[in-house]
Amino acid sequence: LISTYVIGKERLLLATAAATGLRLVVTQRKLAVLRCVGLTPEQLQRCFTTDPAESPIHVTGWGHLGDTWPYFRPNFTNMEAARQEAGAEAVVGFVPTGWLYEMKSSAYPVRAKGGCSVHLVPYSEHSSYAELREYVAWLRPKQIIPTVGTSGGDKARTAMLQHFRGLIDEQHNKAAFLARMGSRRTAPSHSR
């Protein structure tokens, strides 16, 4: 099972079909969306089917394999239903998104229960860390506020910021700090 948004992850789906030599099962609705996003009729025919019996690889809607906010919580009920419907010994799910990045020792966290497992794959078609670092180095912002991979609190935020260490405008931060310190020293006291 591969979880996808309504729009997005098309390149991943095409690559999966090419790598496995199998067509991916999608709903009629998903097939209509794939037509709208510019896939050619040949790509659609070669890579996708709406017949669930034709392939063991099924594309599911976002959230089918689990809830993603504020952190990933697998939906083993849905996965078990898919396993039983297919008559399979096991079901393996993949949730490809940069939004599920976790500061863990494992680069690709896996949640499992019984014959069901789901892999969180840090995948984004938007920007890689290298591309983000390159952009931040070019932009030289005054501050970076992490919004992804920070569910672990301050420790996770600090770890995320380490990826961009040395790329922000440190001189601005130093000047702003010194200006604040100077204004505290010269601020007139208010006596009554």
Side-chain angles (χ1 to χ4, degrees), residues 129-142:
Y129 273 116
E131 291 167 327
L132 286 173
R133 285 181 50 80
E134 181 181 342
Y135 179 70
V136 169
W138 174 81
L139 188 62
R140 304 276 306 160
K142 298 174 190 171

PDB file of all heavy atoms in Angstrom, residues 129-142:
ATOM      1  N   TYR A 129      17.075  18.195   1.447  1.00  0.00           N
ATOM      2  CA  TYR A 129      17.820  18.987   2.423  1.00  0.00           C
ATOM      3  C   TYR A 129      18.933  19.761   1.733  1.00  0.00           C
ATOM      4  O   TYR A 129      19.201  20.909   2.055  1.00  0.00           O
ATOM      5  CB  TYR A 129      18.413  18.106   3.532  1.00  0.00           C
ATOM      6  CG  TYR A 129      17.450  17.881   4.661  1.00  0.00           C
ATOM      7  CD1 TYR A 129      16.973  16.627   4.947  1.00  0.00           C
ATOM      8  CD2 TYR A 129      17.014  18.942   5.441  1.00  0.00           C
ATOM      9  CE1 TYR A 129      16.081  16.421   5.973  1.00  0.00           C
ATOM     10  CE2 TYR A 129      16.123  18.758   6.467  1.00  0.00           C
ATOM     11  CZ  TYR A 129      15.665  17.484   6.738  1.00  0.00           C
ATOM     12  OH  TYR A 129      14.781  17.283   7.751  1.00  0.00           O
ATOM     13  N   ALA A 130      19.580  19.125   0.763  1.00  0.00           N
ATOM     14  CA  ALA A 130      20.660  19.821   0.047  1.00  0.00           C
ATOM     15  C   ALA A 130      20.117  21.062  -0.652  1.00  0.00           C
ATOM     16  O   ALA A 130      20.739  22.130  -0.621  1.00  0.00           O
ATOM     17  CB  ALA A 130      21.324  18.878  -0.956  1.00  0.00           C
ATOM     18  N   GLU A 131      18.956  20.943  -1.283  1.00  0.00           N
ATOM     19  CA  GLU A 131      18.350  22.094  -1.966  1.00  0.00           C
ATOM     20  C   GLU A 131      17.931  23.162  -0.966  1.00  0.00           C
ATOM     21  O   GLU A 131      18.118  24.358  -1.206  1.00  0.00           O
ATOM     22  CB  GLU A 131      17.144  21.644  -2.787  1.00  0.00           C
ATOM     23  CG  GLU A 131      17.523  20.800  -3.988  1.00  0.00           C
ATOM     24  CD  GLU A 131      16.342  20.102  -4.620  1.00  0.00           C
ATOM     25  OE1 GLU A 131      15.386  19.725  -3.905  1.00  0.00           O
ATOM     26  OE2 GLU A 131      16.373  19.917  -5.844  1.00  0.00           O
ATOM     27  N   LEU A 132      17.364  22.741   0.177  1.00  0.00           N
ATOM     28  CA  LEU A 132      16.981  23.711   1.203  1.00  0.00           C
ATOM     29  C   LEU A 132      18.206  24.434   1.756  1.00  0.00           C
ATOM     30  O   LEU A 132      18.196  25.650   1.931  1.00  0.00           O
ATOM     31  CB  LEU A 132      16.227  23.027   2.340  1.00  0.00           C
ATOM     32  CG  LEU A 132      14.799  22.603   2.036  1.00  0.00           C
ATOM     33  CD1 LEU A 132      14.244  21.791   3.198  1.00  0.00           C
ATOM     34  CD2 LEU A 132      13.918  23.806   1.759  1.00  0.00           C
ATOM     35  N   ARG A 133      19.273  23.674   2.014  1.00  0.00           N
ATOM     36  CA  ARG A 133      20.508  24.286   2.524  1.00  0.00           C
ATOM     37  C   ARG A 133      21.069  25.287   1.509  1.00  0.00           C
ATOM     38  O   ARG A 133      21.499  26.373   1.883  1.00  0.00           O
ATOM     39  CB  ARG A 133      21.548  23.221   2.854  1.00  0.00           C
ATOM     40  CG  ARG A 133      21.263  22.466   4.144  1.00  0.00           C
ATOM     41  CD  ARG A 133      22.340  21.433   4.442  1.00  0.00           C
ATOM     42  NE  ARG A 133      23.688  21.973   4.365  1.00  0.00           N
ATOM     43  CZ  ARG A 133      24.289  22.676   5.321  1.00  0.00           C
ATOM     44  NH1 ARG A 133      23.653  22.937   6.437  1.00  0.00           N
ATOM     45  NH2 ARG A 133      25.528  23.123   5.146  1.00  0.00           N
ATOM     46  N   GLU A 134      21.047  24.921   0.242  1.00  0.00           N
ATOM     47  CA  GLU A 134      21.546  25.821  -0.799  1.00  0.00           C
ATOM     48  C   GLU A 134      20.722  27.109  -0.836  1.00  0.00           C
ATOM     49  O   GLU A 134      21.273  28.208  -0.919  1.00  0.00           O
ATOM     50  CB  GLU A 134      21.488  25.122  -2.157  1.00  0.00           C
ATOM     51  CG  GLU A 134      22.004  25.961  -3.297  1.00  0.00           C
ATOM     52  CD  GLU A 134      21.906  25.239  -4.636  1.00  0.00           C
ATOM     53  OE1 GLU A 134      21.770  24.010  -4.660  1.00  0.00           O
ATOM     54  OE2 GLU A 134      21.949  25.941  -5.663  1.00  0.00           O
ATOM     55  N   TYR A 135      19.407  26.970  -0.735  1.00  0.00           N
ATOM     56  CA  TYR A 135      18.539  28.143  -0.765  1.00  0.00           C
ATOM     57  C   TYR A 135      18.755  29.017   0.478  1.00  0.00           C
ATOM     58  O   TYR A 135      18.867  30.238   0.365  1.00  0.00           O
ATOM     59  CB  TYR A 135      17.073  27.718  -0.873  1.00  0.00           C
ATOM     60  CG  TYR A 135      16.122  28.886  -0.895  1.00  0.00           C
ATOM     61  CD1 TYR A 135      16.067  29.735  -2.003  1.00  0.00           C
ATOM     62  CD2 TYR A 135      15.296  29.156   0.185  1.00  0.00           C
ATOM     63  CE1 TYR A 135      15.206  30.825  -2.027  1.00  0.00           C
ATOM     64  CE2 TYR A 135      14.435  30.237   0.164  1.00  0.00           C
ATOM     65  CZ  TYR A 135      14.397  31.075  -0.935  1.00  0.00           C
ATOM     66  OH  TYR A 135      13.556  32.142  -0.951  1.00  0.00           O
ATOM     67  N   VAL A 136      18.830  28.387   1.644  1.00  0.00           N
ATOM     68  CA  VAL A 136      19.045  29.148   2.875  1.00  0.00           C
ATOM     69  C   VAL A 136      20.393  29.861   2.822  1.00  0.00           C
ATOM     70  O   VAL A 136      20.501  31.025   3.228  1.00  0.00           O
ATOM     71  CB  VAL A 136      18.929  28.231   4.121  1.00  0.00           C
ATOM     72  CG1 VAL A 136      19.417  28.937   5.379  1.00  0.00           C
ATOM     73  CG2 VAL A 136      17.485  27.762   4.295  1.00  0.00           C
ATOM     74  N   ALA A 137      21.421  29.201   2.298  1.00  0.00           N
ATOM     75  CA  ALA A 137      22.744  29.842   2.168  1.00  0.00           C
ATOM     76  C   ALA A 137      22.667  31.054   1.253  1.00  0.00           C
ATOM     77  O   ALA A 137      23.299  32.076   1.518  1.00  0.00           O
ATOM     78  CB  ALA A 137      23.763  28.837   1.641  1.00  0.00           C
ATOM     79  N   TRP A 138      21.897  30.963   0.194  1.00  0.00           N
ATOM     80  CA  TRP A 138      21.734  32.087  -0.733  1.00  0.00           C
ATOM     81  C   TRP A 138      20.926  33.207  -0.094  1.00  0.00           C
ATOM     82  O   TRP A 138      21.273  34.375  -0.180  1.00  0.00           O
ATOM     83  CB  TRP A 138      21.046  31.599  -2.009  1.00  0.00           C
ATOM     84  CG  TRP A 138      20.718  32.715  -2.946  1.00  0.00           C
ATOM     85  CD1 TRP A 138      21.563  33.326  -3.832  1.00  0.00           C
ATOM     86  CD2 TRP A 138      19.456  33.365  -3.088  1.00  0.00           C
ATOM     87  NE1 TRP A 138      20.901  34.317  -4.513  1.00  0.00           N
ATOM     88  CE2 TRP A 138      19.594  34.366  -4.066  1.00  0.00           C
ATOM     89  CE3 TRP A 138      18.216  33.209  -2.474  1.00  0.00           C
ATOM     90  CZ2 TRP A 138      18.551  35.190  -4.443  1.00  0.00           C
ATOM     91  CZ3 TRP A 138      17.172  34.020  -2.851  1.00  0.00           C
ATOM     92  CH2 TRP A 138      17.346  35.009  -3.831  1.00  0.00           C
ATOM     93  N   LEU A 139      19.845  32.849   0.616  1.00  0.00           N
ATOM     94  CA  LEU A 139      18.934  33.831   1.195  1.00  0.00           C
ATOM     95  C   LEU A 139      19.531  34.519   2.426  1.00  0.00           C
ATOM     96  O   LEU A 139      19.307  35.703   2.643  1.00  0.00           O
ATOM     97  CB  LEU A 139      17.617  33.140   1.574  1.00  0.00           C
ATOM     98  CG  LEU A 139      16.467  34.015   2.031  1.00  0.00           C
ATOM     99  CD1 LEU A 139      16.038  34.966   0.923  1.00  0.00           C
ATOM    100  CD2 LEU A 139      15.288  33.141   2.454  1.00  0.00           C
ATOM    101  N   ARG A 140      20.292  33.783   3.229  1.00  0.00           N
ATOM    102  CA  ARG A 140      20.879  34.277   4.477  1.00  0.00           C
ATOM    103  C   ARG A 140      19.825  34.934   5.372  1.00  0.00           C
ATOM    104  O   ARG A 140      19.921  36.115   5.724  1.00  0.00           O
ATOM    105  CB  ARG A 140      22.016  35.266   4.217  1.00  0.00           C
ATOM    106  CG  ARG A 140      23.136  34.781   3.345  1.00  0.00           C
ATOM    107  CD  ARG A 140      24.203  34.001   3.977  1.00  0.00           C
ATOM    108  NE  ARG A 140      24.826  34.654   5.115  1.00  0.00           N
ATOM    109  CZ  ARG A 140      25.496  33.977   6.013  1.00  0.00           C
ATOM    110  NH1 ARG A 140      25.638  32.687   5.907  1.00  0.00           N
ATOM    111  NH2 ARG A 140      26.027  34.590   7.033  1.00  0.00           N
ATOM    112  N   PRO A 141      18.804  34.181   5.783  1.00  0.00           N
ATOM    113  CA  PRO A 141      17.759  34.770   6.633  1.00  0.00           C
ATOM    114  C   PRO A 141      18.295  35.100   8.028  1.00  0.00           C
ATOM    115  O   PRO A 141      19.338  34.601   8.437  1.00  0.00           O
ATOM    116  CB  PRO A 141      16.710  33.655   6.710  1.00  0.00           C
ATOM    117  CG  PRO A 141      17.498  32.402   6.573  1.00  0.00           C
ATOM    118  CD  PRO A 141      18.595  32.747   5.588  1.00  0.00           C
ATOM    119  N   LYS A 142      17.556  35.933   8.724  1.00  0.00           N
ATOM    120  CA  LYS A 142      17.926  36.297  10.086  1.00  0.00           C
ATOM    121  C   LYS A 142      17.615  35.166  11.053  1.00  0.00           C
ATOM    122  O   LYS A 142      18.260  35.025  12.088  1.00  0.00           O
ATOM    123  CB  LYS A 142      17.159  37.549  10.517  1.00  0.00           C
ATOM    124  CG  LYS A 142      17.469  38.755   9.679  1.00  0.00           C
ATOM    125  CD  LYS A 142      16.572  39.906  10.057  1.00  0.00           C
ATOM    126  CE  LYS A 142      16.712  41.044   9.067  1.00  0.00           C
ATOM    127  NZ  LYS A 142      15.713  42.080   9.286  1.00  0.00           N
TER     128      LYS A 142
END
